[in-house]
Amino acid sequence: MAKLIMTVDDSASVRQMVTFTLKQNGYDVVEACDGQDALTKLNKQKIDMLLTDLNMPKMDGIGLIKGVRTGTLNQFVPIIMLTTESQESRKAEGKAAGATGWIVKPFKPEQLITVIKKVLR
Amino acid sequence: MMCRVDSFRKKFVTTHKKNMTDHGQQNTLNFDEISACAGDLYALGPDTEPEFLTIGTALNTLATICFDMTDNAVKLSTLANFSAGDKESGSDSFVTQNAKVFDAVANHVKTTLTSLNGGSHLLSQLLSQVKKLREPIRKLQSIGKTFRVLGVAIKVESSRSQEAMKGFTLLAGEVGDIAKLVNENCRYCIDKAELVEKDILNSQQVLNSHDNSYDDSGERAIHNILKSLENIGSKSDKLAAGIQERSSVMVQGISDVVMAMQFHDITRQQLENVSTALNDTIEKAQSISTLDKTGPNEQVVLEIYSILSIQAAHLNSIYEQIFSARKNIAKGLEKTAEQAHFQAKDAKMLLELEGGMGSSSVVSDLEMEIDNIVVSFTKSLAVVKQAAEVSREVYGNVSEIGAFVNKIEEIAFDVKILAINATIEAIKTGAVGNALIVLAKELSALSRETHDGATESIDMLKSIVADTEKQMEFSINLDQRSVAVDEMIARAKECTGTILSSLQVINELGQKMDSSSHDLATRILKLVPGIRFPQLMGDRIDKNWQIICRTIDRIEDSYPQFAEGNSEVKKMLEELAKQYVMDRERSIHAQVTGGAADATVTSDVDLFEDEGFELF
């Protein structure tokens, strides 16, 4: 059975690229446009991994991670930040919130898949 | 950053300033325009997103086609190598295995035909031996006649003196019976021998009427066909490998485009940063009301001037980034289209190769040759079976002859005893029995002749039996060989079946590849000219950039001390550049446009530190 990954980004084109990359490699994908939308969906559905941007309206990536880690259904799901930012302070913030890893944009499709495979293994 | 700002200023001066009207010196700065720029630049990202989504959707379709082609190319490569062996395990190719099977079959057929020739020779030998057997049996038959005569003679002699010769009358009767027995047995043996001769002659006729010569034309035809298949396989394999490689390059092209497409999100963030920075200048501008040339106002104006200069340079860079990204996207797509074009050519060559060799007819020719071999072998086998049947009959009959000859041998022994007894009785009778002594001696002699004749016959029979057993053994061997040949032919037919189905699938895949390649190339050719985001984004950025530059120019006119080479200005620019333009943005620009990062970047942040990701 294919693994289900949620991608969260306020940019529709980024979500499109991530979905396309994941589906080509045999993963199922569910999309969310911001942290709030993602949490609503995560309360109803179990996923295998979460990919999220950092800077989003309504609820940013850090807020989303904290929300997921305090939830019940997807509390221990691996969470990867997929963002243009790479400052150490932001990374530390993500790690403290409960992120599993960090990928910088722009990503190469094969790199994204390599990371996902490493984490899901 | 310094280099970029300076070069942007030069560009502004050479391309735009001379076209602008002289606005003279102004004491106030109108930041409504800057505010409008900030709003427009902030909205630019979301406004142009639908354009990117359209491109993304088209890209999705292209990628699906590419990935399907890659899967098919892998299948093609696997199927096409039926002419190549497995180097790892050291096993032969399909075609070579098939060739070996056919060679083994041909050897068996040749051996069978040679054996049939040998079998014919054996039969001839057997026949001549059986014919020779008649002689000793006829001798025994004539001895039997002599027994009859002797019996009569003993009867006559014994009748002369009935009293003394009573016993000899009985002897005469026994000898007469012996004569009858010997005659009957010999008759039986002769009849059986005739039967055996007939069987052998029939078998010889069947054997001689069968063509035992080996026709190697089928064998040669098969090897030629296999050679053709090997050539097809080898060429198909090379083409398939090329197709697989091209498919990988196509997928890579799409992958490059996916990466370049991400620049929209990055550009959106960069534009948001510019917008934020412009809003900062508006805030600062609200703290001053006039353009006083000195004092605290000058410091604020210097900050505003520096921020605007940096953002204008940044916008210039983003402008270039957009067109570079467009170029990168087009390059990636065109690379894919070029490969698709060659892919179509390779697919066409593959189809021509398969079709030109008439591959399905090549395999049906092969099947026909196999069937011919089967027919020929089946006919030979029928002859062998018939010969085996005859051998069994001959064995049976010869064994019976042997039994009867043994009986004659036993009779010879009985006659010997009779002769001894007769001699003794004749001596007892004295002179009256002299004639009977002579007859008894004759009886004894006949006993010896009978024994000798029987022995001779038995020796011949032994030899005939041995030869018959050889014949039977040869038939059993051929029968066993036929089982092996049947199995080999079944394997050979299976091999050809597999080759045929491989060729059919190769053909289908080749056609799919051909149509997919054309589809892909056509879609890309339509897509590339339709990429409009550079114009949509570029025009708006350029418009806002000019507004910012005009404001900068106004400030410069009022504050000539902000001229080039001013160390305070340079210091301010350097400090603010760190705040407003992240080093990483320059690297991102380089990454998505495929260009080199700005040489003045001193940040130690690499774009893809630790392979581009970090796991905590």
Side-chain angles (χ1 to χ4, degrees), chain A residues 10-14 16-17 20 24 80 84 86 91 95 99-111 115 118-119, chain B residues 49 53 56-57 60 63-64 67 255 258-259 262 264-266 268-269 584 592 605 607-609 611-616:
Chain A
D10 57 332
S11 167
S13 59
V14 168
Q16 187 185 55
M17 287 297 122
F20 149 77
Q24 291 292 350
I80 303 288
T84 52
S86 64
K91 282 188 192 176
K95 188 177 175 182
T100 313
W102 195 278
I103 300 175
V104 289
K105 288 179 193 171
F107 63 87
K108 289 184 184 175
E110 52 270 24
Q111 282 184 329
V115 170
K118 271 190 179 178
V119 172
Chain B
E49 185 134 59
L53 286 171
T57 307
N60 211 350
T64 305
F67 279 114
S255 183
V258 166
M259 193 153 164
Q262 292 172 61
H264 179 261
D265 181 50
I266 293 158
R268 186 196 63 169
Q269 292 193 24
R584 196 169 172 279
V592 298
V605 173
L607 190 66
F608 287 106
E609 62 187 1
E611 301 167 349
F613 70 92
E614 193 176 335
L615 290 176
F616 300 137

Short mmCIF file of all heavy atoms in Angstrom, two decimals, chain A residues 10-14 16-17 20 24 80 84 86 91 95 99-111 115 118-119, chain B residues 49 53 56-57 60 63-64 67 255 258-259 262 264-266 268-269 584 592 605 607-609 611-616:
data_model
loop_
_atom_site.label_atom_id
_atom_site.label_comp_id
_atom_site.label_asym_id
_atom_site.label_seq_id
_atom_site.Cartn_x
_atom_site.Cartn_y
_atom_site.Cartn_z
N ASP A 10 1.57 27.56 1.04
CA ASP A 10 0.59 28.52 0.56
C ASP A 10 0.74 28.77 -0.94
O ASP A 10 -0.12 29.41 -1.54
CB ASP A 10 0.67 29.84 1.35
CG ASP A 10 2.06 30.47 1.28
OD1 ASP A 10 3.05 29.72 1.14
OD2 ASP A 10 2.16 31.70 1.40
N SER A 11 1.82 28.28 -1.53
CA SER A 11 1.99 28.42 -2.97
C SER A 11 1.43 27.20 -3.68
O SER A 11 1.89 26.07 -3.47
CB SER A 11 3.48 28.57 -3.31
OG SER A 11 3.67 28.41 -4.69
N ALA A 12 0.41 27.45 -4.52
CA ALA A 12 -0.22 26.33 -5.23
C ALA A 12 0.76 25.65 -6.18
O ALA A 12 0.72 24.43 -6.37
CB ALA A 12 -1.43 26.83 -6.00
N SER A 13 1.65 26.43 -6.77
CA SER A 13 2.59 25.84 -7.74
C SER A 13 3.61 24.95 -7.03
O SER A 13 4.00 23.91 -7.56
CB SER A 13 3.29 26.92 -8.56
OG SER A 13 4.00 27.78 -7.71
N VAL A 14 3.99 25.33 -5.81
CA VAL A 14 4.92 24.47 -5.05
C VAL A 14 4.22 23.17 -4.68
O VAL A 14 4.78 22.08 -4.82
CB VAL A 14 5.44 25.17 -3.77
CG1 VAL A 14 6.16 24.19 -2.85
CG2 VAL A 14 6.38 26.30 -4.15
N GLN A 16 1.87 21.82 -6.23
CA GLN A 16 1.73 21.06 -7.49
C GLN A 16 3.03 20.31 -7.79
O GLN A 16 3.00 19.12 -8.14
CB GLN A 16 1.40 22.02 -8.63
CG GLN A 16 1.08 21.30 -9.93
CD GLN A 16 0.89 22.29 -11.07
OE1 GLN A 16 1.76 23.11 -11.35
NE2 GLN A 16 -0.24 22.21 -11.75
N MET A 17 4.17 21.00 -7.65
CA MET A 17 5.46 20.36 -7.95
C MET A 17 5.75 19.22 -6.99
O MET A 17 6.24 18.16 -7.39
CB MET A 17 6.60 21.38 -7.85
CG MET A 17 6.64 22.39 -8.98
SD MET A 17 6.94 21.60 -10.56
CE MET A 17 5.48 22.12 -11.45
N PHE A 20 3.40 16.28 -7.73
CA PHE A 20 3.82 15.63 -8.96
C PHE A 20 5.06 14.75 -8.71
O PHE A 20 5.11 13.61 -9.14
CB PHE A 20 4.08 16.74 -9.99
CG PHE A 20 5.14 16.45 -10.99
CD1 PHE A 20 4.89 15.61 -12.05
CD2 PHE A 20 6.39 17.04 -10.91
CE1 PHE A 20 5.85 15.36 -13.00
CE2 PHE A 20 7.36 16.78 -11.85
CZ PHE A 20 7.09 15.95 -12.89
N GLN A 24 4.88 10.57 -8.86
CA GLN A 24 5.69 9.86 -9.85
C GLN A 24 6.52 8.77 -9.20
O GLN A 24 6.97 7.85 -9.86
CB GLN A 24 6.64 10.83 -10.58
CG GLN A 24 5.95 11.80 -11.51
CD GLN A 24 5.33 11.12 -12.71
OE1 GLN A 24 5.56 9.94 -12.98
NE2 GLN A 24 4.52 11.84 -13.45
N ILE A 80 8.98 17.11 7.87
CA ILE A 80 10.12 17.72 7.18
C ILE A 80 9.73 19.14 6.77
O ILE A 80 8.68 19.34 6.17
CB ILE A 80 10.52 16.92 5.92
CG1 ILE A 80 10.84 15.46 6.26
CG2 ILE A 80 11.67 17.59 5.19
CD1 ILE A 80 12.14 15.27 7.00
N THR A 84 12.59 27.96 1.93
CA THR A 84 13.73 28.70 1.37
C THR A 84 14.70 29.11 2.47
O THR A 84 15.84 29.44 2.19
CB THR A 84 13.26 29.97 0.64
OG1 THR A 84 12.42 30.71 1.53
CG2 THR A 84 12.51 29.64 -0.62
N SER A 86 17.26 29.07 5.65
CA SER A 86 18.28 28.11 6.10
C SER A 86 19.08 28.63 7.29
O SER A 86 20.11 28.08 7.63
CB SER A 86 19.23 27.78 4.96
OG SER A 86 19.94 28.94 4.59
N LYS A 91 16.24 26.92 11.99
CA LYS A 91 16.34 25.46 12.05
C LYS A 91 16.18 24.99 13.49
O LYS A 91 15.49 24.01 13.77
CB LYS A 91 17.69 24.98 11.51
CG LYS A 91 17.80 24.97 10.00
CD LYS A 91 19.11 24.29 9.59
CE LYS A 91 19.39 24.52 8.14
NZ LYS A 91 20.68 23.96 7.73
N LYS A 95 13.45 22.48 14.96
CA LYS A 95 13.83 21.27 15.69
C LYS A 95 13.18 21.25 17.07
O LYS A 95 12.65 20.22 17.51
CB LYS A 95 15.36 21.24 15.83
CG LYS A 95 15.90 19.94 16.40
CD LYS A 95 17.42 19.96 16.44
CE LYS A 95 17.94 18.71 17.11
NZ LYS A 95 19.41 18.73 17.21
N ALA A 99 10.30 19.19 14.49
CA ALA A 99 10.56 18.78 13.11
C ALA A 99 11.60 17.67 13.07
O ALA A 99 12.49 17.62 13.90
CB ALA A 99 11.04 19.97 12.27
N THR A 100 11.46 16.80 12.07
CA THR A 100 12.39 15.69 11.90
C THR A 100 13.57 16.08 11.01
O THR A 100 14.67 15.57 11.16
CB THR A 100 11.67 14.49 11.25
OG1 THR A 100 10.44 14.27 11.91
CG2 THR A 100 12.51 13.22 11.29
N GLY A 101 13.32 16.99 10.09
CA GLY A 101 14.39 17.37 9.16
C GLY A 101 14.06 18.65 8.43
O GLY A 101 12.99 19.25 8.61
N TRP A 102 14.98 19.05 7.56
CA TRP A 102 14.90 20.36 6.91
C TRP A 102 15.42 20.22 5.50
O TRP A 102 16.53 19.72 5.29
CB TRP A 102 15.80 21.32 7.71
CG TRP A 102 15.61 22.77 7.45
CD1 TRP A 102 16.12 23.49 6.42
CD2 TRP A 102 14.90 23.68 8.27
NE1 TRP A 102 15.76 24.80 6.55
CE2 TRP A 102 15.00 24.95 7.68
CE3 TRP A 102 14.16 23.56 9.46
CZ2 TRP A 102 14.41 26.09 8.23
CZ3 TRP A 102 13.59 24.68 10.00
CH2 TRP A 102 13.71 25.94 9.39
N ILE A 103 14.63 20.62 4.53
CA ILE A 103 15.09 20.63 3.13
C ILE A 103 14.98 22.06 2.63
O ILE A 103 13.95 22.71 2.84
CB ILE A 103 14.23 19.72 2.23
CG1 ILE A 103 14.28 18.27 2.72
CG2 ILE A 103 14.71 19.78 0.78
CD1 ILE A 103 13.35 17.35 1.95
N VAL A 104 16.05 22.51 1.96
CA VAL A 104 15.99 23.88 1.45
C VAL A 104 15.47 23.89 0.02
O VAL A 104 15.75 22.99 -0.76
CB VAL A 104 17.37 24.56 1.52
CG1 VAL A 104 17.73 24.84 2.95
CG2 VAL A 104 18.44 23.73 0.87
N LYS A 105 14.72 24.96 -0.28
CA LYS A 105 14.27 25.15 -1.67
C LYS A 105 15.32 26.01 -2.39
O LYS A 105 15.93 26.87 -1.76
CB LYS A 105 12.95 25.92 -1.69
CG LYS A 105 11.72 25.17 -1.22
CD LYS A 105 10.53 26.14 -1.30
CE LYS A 105 9.32 25.63 -0.58
NZ LYS A 105 8.27 26.63 -0.47
N PRO A 106 15.48 25.86 -3.67
CA PRO A 106 14.78 24.89 -4.52
C PRO A 106 15.33 23.47 -4.33
O PRO A 106 16.53 23.30 -4.15
CB PRO A 106 15.06 25.40 -5.93
CG PRO A 106 16.35 26.13 -5.82
CD PRO A 106 16.40 26.69 -4.44
N PHE A 107 14.44 22.51 -4.35
CA PHE A 107 14.87 21.14 -4.16
C PHE A 107 14.95 20.43 -5.50
O PHE A 107 14.18 20.70 -6.41
CB PHE A 107 13.88 20.41 -3.23
CG PHE A 107 12.48 20.30 -3.78
CD1 PHE A 107 12.11 19.25 -4.60
CD2 PHE A 107 11.53 21.27 -3.49
CE1 PHE A 107 10.82 19.15 -5.12
CE2 PHE A 107 10.23 21.18 -4.00
CZ PHE A 107 9.88 20.13 -4.82
N LYS A 108 15.88 19.49 -5.56
CA LYS A 108 15.92 18.61 -6.73
C LYS A 108 14.96 17.47 -6.43
O LYS A 108 14.99 16.92 -5.33
CB LYS A 108 17.32 18.05 -6.94
CG LYS A 108 18.32 19.07 -7.43
CD LYS A 108 19.68 18.43 -7.72
CE LYS A 108 20.67 19.49 -8.12
NZ LYS A 108 22.02 18.97 -8.30
N PRO A 109 14.13 17.09 -7.38
CA PRO A 109 13.14 16.04 -7.11
C PRO A 109 13.77 14.76 -6.53
O PRO A 109 13.26 14.18 -5.60
CB PRO A 109 12.52 15.76 -8.48
CG PRO A 109 12.70 17.03 -9.23
CD PRO A 109 13.97 17.62 -8.75
N GLU A 110 14.92 14.39 -7.10
CA GLU A 110 15.53 13.14 -6.61
C GLU A 110 16.04 13.29 -5.18
O GLU A 110 16.02 12.32 -4.41
CB GLU A 110 16.68 12.70 -7.54
CG GLU A 110 17.73 13.72 -7.84
CD GLU A 110 17.44 14.57 -9.07
OE1 GLU A 110 16.26 14.72 -9.44
OE2 GLU A 110 18.39 15.12 -9.62
N GLN A 111 16.44 14.52 -4.80
CA GLN A 111 16.89 14.74 -3.41
C GLN A 111 15.72 14.61 -2.45
O GLN A 111 15.84 14.04 -1.36
CB GLN A 111 17.52 16.12 -3.27
CG GLN A 111 18.93 16.18 -3.79
CD GLN A 111 19.59 17.50 -3.57
OE1 GLN A 111 18.93 18.53 -3.55
NE2 GLN A 111 20.89 17.50 -3.38
N VAL A 115 15.44 11.88 0.64
CA VAL A 115 15.18 12.22 2.05
C VAL A 115 13.96 11.46 2.56
O VAL A 115 13.98 10.87 3.64
CB VAL A 115 14.94 13.74 2.21
CG1 VAL A 115 14.45 14.06 3.61
CG2 VAL A 115 16.22 14.49 1.92
N LYS A 118 14.73 7.91 3.18
CA LYS A 118 15.57 7.74 4.38
C LYS A 118 14.71 7.82 5.64
O LYS A 118 14.83 7.01 6.55
CB LYS A 118 16.61 8.86 4.46
CG LYS A 118 17.90 8.55 3.76
CD LYS A 118 18.98 9.59 4.07
CE LYS A 118 20.24 9.20 3.35
NZ LYS A 118 21.34 10.11 3.50
N VAL A 119 13.83 8.80 5.65
CA VAL A 119 13.02 9.01 6.85
C VAL A 119 12.00 7.89 7.04
O VAL A 119 11.82 7.38 8.14
CB VAL A 119 12.30 10.38 6.78
CG1 VAL A 119 11.30 10.53 7.91
CG2 VAL A 119 13.32 11.50 6.81
N GLU B 49 0.53 33.31 -10.21
CA GLU B 49 0.49 31.88 -9.85
C GLU B 49 -0.32 31.04 -10.84
O GLU B 49 0.13 29.95 -11.22
CB GLU B 49 -0.04 31.70 -8.44
CG GLU B 49 0.04 30.25 -7.99
CD GLU B 49 0.59 30.08 -6.59
OE1 GLU B 49 0.00 30.65 -5.66
OE2 GLU B 49 1.61 29.39 -6.44
N LEU B 53 0.67 27.44 -12.54
CA LEU B 53 -0.11 26.21 -12.35
C LEU B 53 -0.40 25.57 -13.71
O LEU B 53 -0.39 24.35 -13.84
CB LEU B 53 -1.41 26.51 -11.61
CG LEU B 53 -1.24 26.80 -10.12
CD1 LEU B 53 -2.55 27.29 -9.51
CD2 LEU B 53 -0.76 25.55 -9.39
N GLY B 56 2.68 23.95 -14.78
CA GLY B 56 2.88 22.78 -13.93
C GLY B 56 2.02 21.61 -14.37
O GLY B 56 2.47 20.46 -14.39
N THR B 57 0.78 21.89 -14.73
CA THR B 57 -0.14 20.83 -15.18
C THR B 57 0.39 20.20 -16.47
O THR B 57 0.39 18.97 -16.63
CB THR B 57 -1.55 21.39 -15.42
OG1 THR B 57 -1.96 22.07 -14.25
CG2 THR B 57 -2.53 20.28 -15.76
N ASN B 60 3.30 18.04 -15.70
CA ASN B 60 2.83 16.79 -15.10
C ASN B 60 2.56 15.76 -16.19
O ASN B 60 2.97 14.60 -16.11
CB ASN B 60 1.55 17.06 -14.32
CG ASN B 60 1.42 16.13 -13.14
OD1 ASN B 60 2.16 15.16 -13.01
ND2 ASN B 60 0.47 16.42 -12.28
N ALA B 63 5.79 14.67 -17.82
CA ALA B 63 6.55 13.77 -16.94
C ALA B 63 5.95 12.38 -16.94
O ALA B 63 6.67 11.38 -16.94
CB ALA B 63 6.58 14.33 -15.53
N THR B 64 4.62 12.31 -16.95
CA THR B 64 3.95 11.00 -16.97
C THR B 64 4.34 10.25 -18.23
O THR B 64 4.66 9.05 -18.19
CB THR B 64 2.42 11.18 -16.90
OG1 THR B 64 2.11 11.95 -15.75
CG2 THR B 64 1.71 9.84 -16.84
N PHE B 67 7.99 9.10 -17.84
CA PHE B 67 8.16 7.97 -16.92
C PHE B 67 7.63 6.68 -17.54
O PHE B 67 8.22 5.61 -17.38
CB PHE B 67 7.46 8.24 -15.58
CG PHE B 67 8.28 9.10 -14.66
CD1 PHE B 67 7.86 10.37 -14.31
CD2 PHE B 67 9.50 8.65 -14.17
CE1 PHE B 67 8.62 11.17 -13.48
CE2 PHE B 67 10.27 9.45 -13.34
CZ PHE B 67 9.82 10.71 -13.00
N SER B 255 13.04 16.87 -14.73
CA SER B 255 13.47 17.11 -13.35
C SER B 255 14.11 18.49 -13.21
O SER B 255 13.86 19.23 -12.25
CB SER B 255 14.46 16.00 -12.97
OG SER B 255 14.85 16.11 -11.65
N VAL B 258 11.38 21.02 -13.20
CA VAL B 258 10.69 21.04 -11.88
C VAL B 258 11.45 21.94 -10.93
O VAL B 258 10.86 22.74 -10.20
CB VAL B 258 10.57 19.61 -11.32
CG1 VAL B 258 10.18 19.64 -9.84
CG2 VAL B 258 9.54 18.81 -12.09
N MET B 259 12.75 21.80 -10.97
CA MET B 259 13.57 22.62 -10.07
C MET B 259 13.46 24.10 -10.44
O MET B 259 13.30 24.97 -9.59
CB MET B 259 15.02 22.17 -10.17
CG MET B 259 15.81 22.73 -9.07
SD MET B 259 17.20 21.72 -8.68
CE MET B 259 18.12 22.91 -7.74
N GLN B 262 10.39 26.05 -9.37
CA GLN B 262 10.25 26.45 -7.97
C GLN B 262 10.61 27.92 -7.77
O GLN B 262 10.35 28.48 -6.70
CB GLN B 262 11.15 25.58 -7.09
CG GLN B 262 10.70 24.14 -7.01
CD GLN B 262 11.71 23.29 -6.29
OE1 GLN B 262 12.01 23.51 -5.12
NE2 GLN B 262 12.27 22.32 -7.00
N HIS B 264 9.30 30.44 -8.80
CA HIS B 264 8.16 31.33 -8.61
C HIS B 264 7.92 31.57 -7.12
O HIS B 264 7.71 32.70 -6.68
CB HIS B 264 6.90 30.75 -9.26
CG HIS B 264 5.70 31.63 -9.05
ND1 HIS B 264 4.76 31.38 -8.07
CD2 HIS B 264 5.33 32.77 -9.66
CE1 HIS B 264 3.84 32.34 -8.10
NE2 HIS B 264 4.16 33.19 -9.05
N ASP B 265 7.97 30.48 -6.37
CA ASP B 265 7.76 30.59 -4.92
C ASP B 265 8.88 31.42 -4.29
O ASP B 265 8.63 32.28 -3.45
CB ASP B 265 7.73 29.18 -4.31
CG ASP B 265 7.50 29.21 -2.81
OD1 ASP B 265 6.55 29.88 -2.38
OD2 ASP B 265 8.27 28.57 -2.08
N ILE B 266 10.09 31.17 -4.75
CA ILE B 266 11.25 31.90 -4.22
C ILE B 266 11.15 33.37 -4.61
O ILE B 266 11.37 34.26 -3.80
CB ILE B 266 12.55 31.27 -4.74
CG1 ILE B 266 12.69 29.87 -4.14
CG2 ILE B 266 13.76 32.12 -4.42
CD1 ILE B 266 13.58 28.95 -4.92
N ARG B 268 8.49 35.01 -5.32
CA ARG B 268 7.39 35.61 -4.58
C ARG B 268 7.88 36.09 -3.22
O ARG B 268 7.59 37.19 -2.78
CB ARG B 268 6.27 34.59 -4.41
CG ARG B 268 5.01 35.13 -3.77
CD ARG B 268 4.12 34.04 -3.28
NE ARG B 268 4.80 33.27 -2.25
CZ ARG B 268 4.22 32.37 -1.49
NH1 ARG B 268 2.96 32.09 -1.65
NH2 ARG B 268 4.90 31.73 -0.58
N GLN B 269 8.67 35.26 -2.57
CA GLN B 269 9.21 35.64 -1.26
C GLN B 269 10.18 36.80 -1.36
O GLN B 269 10.20 37.69 -0.51
CB GLN B 269 9.88 34.43 -0.60
CG GLN B 269 8.87 33.38 -0.22
CD GLN B 269 9.42 32.32 0.71
OE1 GLN B 269 10.37 32.52 1.43
NE2 GLN B 269 8.78 31.15 0.67
N ARG B 584 21.80 34.17 0.89
CA ARG B 584 21.24 32.97 0.29
C ARG B 584 20.39 33.29 -0.93
O ARG B 584 20.28 32.49 -1.85
CB ARG B 584 20.41 32.20 1.32
CG ARG B 584 20.16 30.78 0.87
CD ARG B 584 19.58 29.89 1.92
NE ARG B 584 19.22 28.65 1.28
CZ ARG B 584 18.10 28.47 0.59
NH1 ARG B 584 17.23 29.45 0.50
NH2 ARG B 584 17.85 27.34 0.00
N VAL B 592 18.59 28.70 -9.43
CA VAL B 592 17.42 28.50 -10.29
C VAL B 592 17.67 29.01 -11.70
O VAL B 592 16.97 28.62 -12.62
CB VAL B 592 16.14 29.15 -9.72
CG1 VAL B 592 15.77 28.54 -8.40
CG2 VAL B 592 16.27 30.65 -9.59
N VAL B 605 26.99 30.24 4.20
CA VAL B 605 25.82 29.37 4.02
C VAL B 605 25.81 28.87 2.58
O VAL B 605 25.69 29.64 1.65
CB VAL B 605 24.51 30.15 4.29
CG1 VAL B 605 23.30 29.31 3.94
CG2 VAL B 605 24.46 30.59 5.74
N LEU B 607 24.12 26.66 -0.48
CA LEU B 607 22.73 26.39 -0.86
C LEU B 607 22.32 24.98 -0.48
O LEU B 607 21.23 24.76 0.02
CB LEU B 607 22.57 26.59 -2.38
CG LEU B 607 21.12 26.56 -2.86
CD1 LEU B 607 20.36 27.73 -2.30
CD2 LEU B 607 21.08 26.59 -4.36
N PHE B 608 23.18 24.06 -0.71
CA PHE B 608 22.83 22.68 -0.40
C PHE B 608 23.83 22.13 0.61
O PHE B 608 24.68 21.31 0.27
CB PHE B 608 22.82 21.81 -1.66
CG PHE B 608 21.64 22.09 -2.54
CD1 PHE B 608 21.79 22.80 -3.70
CD2 PHE B 608 20.37 21.69 -2.16
CE1 PHE B 608 20.70 23.07 -4.50
CE2 PHE B 608 19.28 21.96 -2.96
CZ PHE B 608 19.45 22.66 -4.14
N GLU B 609 23.73 22.64 1.78
CA GLU B 609 24.62 22.11 2.81
C GLU B 609 24.16 20.71 3.16
O GLU B 609 22.97 20.42 3.20
CB GLU B 609 24.61 23.02 4.04
CG GLU B 609 23.26 23.15 4.71
CD GLU B 609 23.28 24.19 5.83
OE1 GLU B 609 24.31 24.79 6.06
OE2 GLU B 609 22.25 24.37 6.45
N GLU B 611 24.17 17.90 1.48
CA GLU B 611 23.37 17.32 0.40
C GLU B 611 22.01 18.00 0.28
O GLU B 611 21.09 17.46 -0.30
CB GLU B 611 23.13 15.81 0.61
CG GLU B 611 24.42 15.04 0.69
CD GLU B 611 24.20 13.63 1.20
OE1 GLU B 611 23.12 13.31 1.67
OE2 GLU B 611 25.16 12.86 1.11
N GLY B 612 21.83 19.20 0.80
CA GLY B 612 20.60 19.94 0.60
C GLY B 612 19.53 19.66 1.63
O GLY B 612 18.42 20.14 1.51
N PHE B 613 19.85 18.86 2.64
CA PHE B 613 18.86 18.62 3.67
C PHE B 613 19.57 18.33 4.97
O PHE B 613 20.78 18.12 5.02
CB PHE B 613 17.93 17.45 3.29
CG PHE B 613 18.63 16.12 3.32
CD1 PHE B 613 18.62 15.32 4.45
CD2 PHE B 613 19.33 15.66 2.21
CE1 PHE B 613 19.27 14.10 4.48
CE2 PHE B 613 19.97 14.44 2.23
CZ PHE B 613 19.95 13.66 3.36
N GLU B 614 18.79 18.35 6.02
CA GLU B 614 19.36 18.02 7.33
C GLU B 614 18.31 17.25 8.11
O GLU B 614 17.15 17.66 8.16
CB GLU B 614 19.72 19.33 8.05
CG GLU B 614 20.59 19.12 9.27
CD GLU B 614 21.00 20.46 9.90
OE1 GLU B 614 21.04 21.47 9.17
OE2 GLU B 614 21.25 20.47 11.11
N LEU B 615 18.71 16.13 8.67
CA LEU B 615 17.80 15.39 9.54
C LEU B 615 18.25 15.61 10.98
O LEU B 615 19.43 15.47 11.28
CB LEU B 615 17.83 13.89 9.19
CG LEU B 615 17.19 13.52 7.84
CD1 LEU B 615 17.35 12.03 7.57
CD2 LEU B 615 15.71 13.88 7.82
N PHE B 616 17.28 15.94 11.82
CA PHE B 616 17.63 16.25 13.21
C PHE B 616 17.78 14.98 14.02
O PHE B 616 17.15 13.98 13.77
CB PHE B 616 16.53 17.13 13.84
CG PHE B 616 16.33 18.44 13.11
CD1 PHE B 616 15.06 18.91 12.85
CD2 PHE B 616 17.42 19.18 12.67
CE1 PHE B 616 14.87 20.11 12.20
CE2 PHE B 616 17.23 20.39 12.01
CZ PHE B 616 15.95 20.86 11.77
#
